[in-house]
Amino acid sequence: PTEGVNAANKLITQDGVKAIVGSVSSKVSIPVSEVAQTNKVIMITPTSTNPKVTVDNGKRKDFVYRACFIDPFQGTVMAKFALETVKAKKAAVLYDNSNDYSKGLAEFFRDAFKQGGGTVNVFESYGATDKDFSALLTKVAADSPDFLFLPDYYNKVNLIATQAKEKGIKATLGGGDGWDSADLDTKATEGGYFSNHYSPDDTRPEVKD
């Protein structure tokens, strides 16, 4: 976030740009959007899904735009999918408390899942630098949920999913667009699902693949 703000300030004050494309992540886009809004410079983010990117205290930032869905929608879709397609009745959620994207998506999923009739007994957070999730996963294992929602980026999901398997957790894994990467550990996350920016109308080979 700090580097993002510094880059935005340089682009605006030194380079005199009229528009900024980015950032990719909500964690960086939120503070950068404040710089853009203050300086009346157009900002467009392709994939930052947190509502705070374009709205501040209920007021629309009129210089900031996005080309993607937002997390209230993404969280609701995944909760509905878990309830109706996976037939889950009980979910657990683990999220990064220091990351607006992860925290927001976790809350939207939890609320929609409960509103749909499901229960969430385990709703736990971890830190940005954590690598050992055994204590949290012990709680998950003890609760025996049908669905384990991991709203984070692929690199952290790889660690948690691997450790979840080692704990013998059988829950179906789920997440958001942060999972989308060629580096996602498909063995550790096998059988899981994630929401993503996708259109079946796009016929390009890489999209179909």
PDB file of all heavy atoms in Angstrom, residues 8 18 44 47 54 79 96 128 145 155 164 173 186:
ATOM      1  N   ALA A   8       1.634   6.407  -7.105  1.00  0.00           N
ATOM      2  CA  ALA A   8       0.521   7.241  -7.580  1.00  0.00           C
ATOM      3  C   ALA A   8       0.852   8.724  -7.447  1.00  0.00           C
ATOM      4  O   ALA A   8       0.597   9.513  -8.367  1.00  0.00           O
ATOM      5  CB  ALA A   8      -0.746   6.908  -6.798  1.00  0.00           C
ATOM      6  N   LYS A  18      -3.090  11.787 -16.457  1.00  0.00           N
ATOM      7  CA  LYS A  18      -4.515  12.101 -16.337  1.00  0.00           C
ATOM      8  C   LYS A  18      -5.325  10.879 -15.924  1.00  0.00           C
ATOM      9  O   LYS A  18      -6.504  10.994 -15.587  1.00  0.00           O
ATOM     10  CB  LYS A  18      -5.053  12.642 -17.670  1.00  0.00           C
ATOM     11  CG  LYS A  18      -4.342  13.899 -18.157  1.00  0.00           C
ATOM     12  CD  LYS A  18      -4.459  15.035 -17.170  1.00  0.00           C
ATOM     13  CE  LYS A  18      -3.763  16.290 -17.688  1.00  0.00           C
ATOM     14  NZ  LYS A  18      -3.735  17.337 -16.646  1.00  0.00           N
ATOM     15  N   ILE A  44      -8.757   3.408 -12.842  1.00  0.00           N
ATOM     16  CA  ILE A  44      -9.534   2.219 -13.200  1.00  0.00           C
ATOM     17  C   ILE A  44      -8.765   0.984 -12.737  1.00  0.00           C
ATOM     18  O   ILE A  44      -7.626   0.770 -13.147  1.00  0.00           O
ATOM     19  CB  ILE A  44      -9.775   2.115 -14.714  1.00  0.00           C
ATOM     20  CG1 ILE A  44     -10.435   3.389 -15.248  1.00  0.00           C
ATOM     21  CG2 ILE A  44     -10.636   0.895 -15.036  1.00  0.00           C
ATOM     22  CD1 ILE A  44     -10.529   3.438 -16.758  1.00  0.00           C
ATOM     23  N   THR A  47      -9.201  -5.555 -11.320  1.00  0.00           N
ATOM     24  CA  THR A  47      -9.614  -6.722 -10.516  1.00  0.00           C
ATOM     25  C   THR A  47      -9.763  -6.470  -9.017  1.00  0.00           C
ATOM     26  O   THR A  47      -9.903  -7.428  -8.260  1.00  0.00           O
ATOM     27  CB  THR A  47      -8.599  -7.870 -10.698  1.00  0.00           C
ATOM     28  OG1 THR A  47      -7.288  -7.388 -10.361  1.00  0.00           O
ATOM     29  CG2 THR A  47      -8.592  -8.403 -12.117  1.00  0.00           C
ATOM     30  N   THR A  54     -14.169   1.998  -4.493  1.00  0.00           N
ATOM     31  CA  THR A  54     -14.962   3.020  -5.195  1.00  0.00           C
ATOM     32  C   THR A  54     -15.928   3.794  -4.305  1.00  0.00           C
ATOM     33  O   THR A  54     -16.546   4.751  -4.758  1.00  0.00           O
ATOM     34  CB  THR A  54     -15.781   2.376  -6.339  1.00  0.00           C
ATOM     35  OG1 THR A  54     -16.547   1.292  -5.799  1.00  0.00           O
ATOM     36  CG2 THR A  54     -14.871   1.858  -7.441  1.00  0.00           C
ATOM     37  N   ALA A  79     -21.490 -18.405  -1.327  1.00  0.00           N
ATOM     38  CA  ALA A  79     -22.335 -18.941  -0.257  1.00  0.00           C
ATOM     39  C   ALA A  79     -23.508 -19.720  -0.852  1.00  0.00           C
ATOM     40  O   ALA A  79     -23.839 -20.824  -0.400  1.00  0.00           O
ATOM     41  CB  ALA A  79     -22.849 -17.808   0.623  1.00  0.00           C
ATOM     42  N   ASP A  96      -7.291 -13.581   6.273  1.00  0.00           N
ATOM     43  CA  ASP A  96      -6.187 -12.693   6.659  1.00  0.00           C
ATOM     44  C   ASP A  96      -6.775 -11.386   7.173  1.00  0.00           C
ATOM     45  O   ASP A  96      -7.318 -10.598   6.403  1.00  0.00           O
ATOM     46  CB  ASP A  96      -5.279 -12.443   5.449  1.00  0.00           C
ATOM     47  CG  ASP A  96      -4.088 -11.547   5.780  1.00  0.00           C
ATOM     48  OD1 ASP A  96      -4.047 -10.958   6.887  1.00  0.00           O
ATOM     49  OD2 ASP A  96      -3.196 -11.432   4.925  1.00  0.00           O
ATOM     50  N   ALA A 128      -0.666 -11.676   8.197  1.00  0.00           N
ATOM     51  CA  ALA A 128      -0.140 -11.671   6.830  1.00  0.00           C
ATOM     52  C   ALA A 128       1.089 -12.561   6.665  1.00  0.00           C
ATOM     53  O   ALA A 128       1.302 -13.144   5.603  1.00  0.00           O
ATOM     54  CB  ALA A 128       0.191 -10.247   6.412  1.00  0.00           C
ATOM     55  N   PRO A 145     -16.778 -29.159   9.450  1.00  0.00           N
ATOM     56  CA  PRO A 145     -17.666 -28.467   8.515  1.00  0.00           C
ATOM     57  C   PRO A 145     -17.740 -29.193   7.170  1.00  0.00           C
ATOM     58  O   PRO A 145     -16.867 -29.988   6.834  1.00  0.00           O
ATOM     59  CB  PRO A 145     -16.991 -27.095   8.356  1.00  0.00           C
ATOM     60  CG  PRO A 145     -15.534 -27.403   8.541  1.00  0.00           C
ATOM     61  CD  PRO A 145     -15.478 -28.484   9.586  1.00  0.00           C
ATOM     62  N   ASN A 155      -1.102 -18.162  -3.015  1.00  0.00           N
ATOM     63  CA  ASN A 155       0.091 -18.592  -2.271  1.00  0.00           C
ATOM     64  C   ASN A 155      -0.246 -18.953  -0.822  1.00  0.00           C
ATOM     65  O   ASN A 155       0.268 -19.936  -0.285  1.00  0.00           O
ATOM     66  CB  ASN A 155       1.193 -17.522  -2.330  1.00  0.00           C
ATOM     67  CG  ASN A 155       0.682 -16.131  -1.985  1.00  0.00           C
ATOM     68  OD1 ASN A 155      -0.514 -15.895  -1.871  1.00  0.00           O
ATOM     69  ND2 ASN A 155       1.592 -15.200  -1.832  1.00  0.00           N
ATOM     70  N   ALA A 164      -4.430 -28.453   5.779  1.00  0.00           N
ATOM     71  CA  ALA A 164      -5.776 -28.972   6.055  1.00  0.00           C
ATOM     72  C   ALA A 164      -5.847 -30.458   5.702  1.00  0.00           C
ATOM     73  O   ALA A 164      -6.431 -31.258   6.435  1.00  0.00           O
ATOM     74  CB  ALA A 164      -6.821 -28.193   5.255  1.00  0.00           C
ATOM     75  N   LEU A 173     -13.245 -27.359  -0.271  1.00  0.00           N
ATOM     76  CA  LEU A 173     -12.616 -26.049  -0.168  1.00  0.00           C
ATOM     77  C   LEU A 173     -13.246 -25.073  -1.150  1.00  0.00           C
ATOM     78  O   LEU A 173     -13.662 -25.449  -2.247  1.00  0.00           O
ATOM     79  CB  LEU A 173     -11.116 -26.160  -0.451  1.00  0.00           C
ATOM     80  CG  LEU A 173     -10.309 -27.095   0.439  1.00  0.00           C
ATOM     81  CD1 LEU A 173      -8.836 -27.049   0.038  1.00  0.00           C
ATOM     82  CD2 LEU A 173     -10.452 -26.727   1.911  1.00  0.00           C
ATOM     83  N   THR A 186      -3.030 -27.372  -7.282  1.00  0.00           N
ATOM     84  CA  THR A 186      -4.274 -28.075  -7.625  1.00  0.00           C
ATOM     85  C   THR A 186      -4.393 -29.434  -6.938  1.00  0.00           C
ATOM     86  O   THR A 186      -5.498 -29.979  -6.848  1.00  0.00           O
ATOM     87  CB  THR A 186      -4.395 -28.257  -9.151  1.00  0.00           C
ATOM     88  OG1 THR A 186      -3.200 -28.871  -9.652  1.00  0.00           O
ATOM     89  CG2 THR A 186      -4.592 -26.917  -9.839  1.00  0.00           C
TER      90      THR A 186
END
